[in-house]
Structure formats: structure tokens, C-alpha cells
Amino acid sequence: DAGVIQSPRHEVTEMGQEVTLRCKPISGHNSLFWYRQTMMRGLELLIYFNNNVPIDDSGMPEDRFSAKMPNASFSTLKIQPSEPRDSAVYFCASSLAGAGNQPQHFGDGTRLSIL
Amino acid sequence: DAKTTQPTSMDCAEGRAANLPCNHSTISGNEYVYWYRQIHSQGPQYIIHGLKNNETNEMASLIITEDRKSSTLILPHATLRDTAVYYCIVRVPNSGGSNYKLTFGKGTLLTVNP
């Protein structure tokens, strides 16, 4: 079975540029999560979608960050304009909510470096 | 979610059982215990979860004490590829409403030595 697919795996760009991270959740999953991981702060939840609707975006650091889920098989996380402090590994995860205790399954992440 | 306490690091010899402890003394009755691990440069990987009964799957076994205040993840025959950070998390199941957060602590760095 295909797991959560993220692209790109690595992104290096200059400060001020727009960055778009992409995620394809596991087919049939109705919950999608975006996380950010840094050495200082560990893994942090940025935003959570259920049935393509954003439920909680309280973890989104600033207005520079936005996330969309236009359909059940695709989500994007956009940073505009990007700053060096946004450098981190960004993970997408999906799960089947409302079906008991199904775990979240993570992609391999996008390693983002803002110069 | 209940707070968990794990040792910062542990070592294990290859081929031996790795026993990773987790304390969760404030766990509530409807919270499950989940274990994830993160191998270097990869995303967190789900291992196993349980409520009060011991659980076993192809990856590991989970032993939960009768009072549910602590648990142990057992990797029966550790290999070098099991070297990773292991996270113990307690939470209620995600019902599509508010019970969705996975709060990752610092976990235990398990190093499997040849």
C-alpha cells in the first residue's frame, strides 16, 4: 500500500521566495495533519483537516503560512514570503478519524532550507 | 493528553530484547497508549497502541500495567535498523472532532549496538 507521499523531499530557496509543500494522504483517510520539526521545538502540529475542512490551525505560526485541502487526495502548505527561521522538516500525516483509535501515518517529510 | 516520562536514551545489544519504559501516571480511563518511532531522516512511524490489555504485532509487544500508570514497549530481537527515537504518547482516539492531537515529547533514543 502507498503511504503518505510528500513532495519535494528537499527544498532550498532564498529568503522572500514562495514555498509550496505538497502532500498526498493515504487513500480513504479523512484526516490530514501538517507538522513541523526543528531541533529546538521538536515536532509541532501546524494544522489539522477533517474531511477536507480545516479544524484547527492554531499551530500555524504566522499569516505567512497557509494550508489548503481542495480534495481528499491532496493538500498544500504554502509559505509566502519565506524566512530563514522557517527552515525545518515539514511532515504530513493522515489517519481515519471517527473509526476508533486509528493511528496517524506520516510521510517522509520535506526538508526545507531558507537561505 | 496525559503527560509521559521516558528515559532520554538506552542501549541494547543486537539480537537482544529492547525494553523501553514509559510512565503515564495521570492517564485517564479512555486514553490509549501509542508508540511511535522516528528513524533518522524519516517521518515518525506508528508501532503499536493499546488501552489496557497487552498487545502484540509484527513489530513489537506492548505491556501495560494493571493500574495503567506505566507501560513497556518490547522489541523482541533488536536489530541495527531499530536504532531510533521512540515516542510514548497517551491520548483519546480521534473521533473527527477535538481528539486529534498527537503531542510528541522528547522520546527515548534507542541505540542498538553490534
Side-chain angles (χ1 to χ4, degrees):
Chain A
D1 291 341
V4 175
I5 300 172
Q6 292 187 245
S7 64
R9 287 298 312 276
H10 303 273
E11 176 84 15
V12 181
T13 191
E14 293 187 346
M15 175 179 173
Q17 297 297 308
E18 178 178 293
V19 173
T20 300
L21 310 181
R22 296 173 176 80
C23 175
K24 177 178 170 57
I26 293 172
S27 177
H29 281 186
N30 59 356
S31 289
L32 185 139
F33 309 80
W34 282 99
Y35 288 84
R36 178 172 68 175
Q37 186 173 36
T38 62
M39 288 294 293
M40 292 296 295
R41 301 173 68 90
L43 266 163
E44 303 174 283
L45 178 66
L46 299 178
I47 188 168
Y48 158 57
F49 292 87
N50 189 53
N51 293 323
N52 311 338
V53 176
I55 302 298
D56 181 2
D57 66 355
S58 59
M60 297 285 264
E62 300 172 30
D63 291 344
R64 298 183 297 106
F65 285 70
S66 62
K68 294 183 179 180
M69 193 165 185
N71 56 63
S73 59
F74 184 65
S75 177
T76 60
L77 178 68
K78 187 173 294 186
I79 308 173
Q80 167 63 21
S82 58
E83 296 183 3
R85 60 190 167 129
D86 302 330
S87 298
V89 182
Y90 291 80
F91 291 103
C92 177
S94 70
S95 73
L96 186 61
N101 46 29
Q102 296 300 312
Q104 294 180 22
H105 297 271
F106 287 75
D108 281 333
T110 295
R111 185 172 296 274
L112 177 64
S113 296
I114 308 297
L115 307 177
Chain B
D1 292 344
K3 182 177 179 178
T4 62
T5 304
Q6 299 178 253
T8 302
S9 63
M10 294 181 63
D11 286 323
C12 177
E14 187 178 19
R16 304 298 294 269
N19 296 279
L20 293 95
C22 180
N23 286 319
H24 32 79
S25 58
T26 60
I27 192 170
S28 60
N30 60 345
E31 286 184 310
Y32 282 70
V33 180
Y34 291 79
W35 283 84
Y36 285 76
R37 72 179 181 183
Q38 189 171 21
I39 297 169
H40 183 62
S41 297
Q42 296 182 20
Q45 178 188 22
Y46 164 76
I47 300 173
I48 198 168
H49 71 277
L51 181 62
K52 55 183 178 180
N53 297 323
N54 297 338
E55 302 288 345
T56 295
N57 63 18
E58 66 278 5
M59 290 181 68
S61 294
L62 174 60
I63 308 299
I64 303 174
T65 58
E66 192 168 343
D67 62 8
R68 302 208 325 120
K69 293 185 176 182
S70 65
S71 60
T72 301
L73 178 75
I74 300 172
L75 307 178
H77 306 286
T79 71
L80 299 180
R81 289 175 294 180
D82 291 321
T83 292
V85 177
Y86 287 77
Y87 298 97
C88 169
I89 301 166
V90 294
R91 60 183 284 270
V92 295
N94 182 5
S95 61
S98 61
N99 304 323
Y100 52 84
K101 285 192 175 181
L102 272 181
T103 303
F104 288 83
K106 296 190 182 302
T108 296
L109 172 60
L110 175 69
T111 302
V112 181
N113 300 306

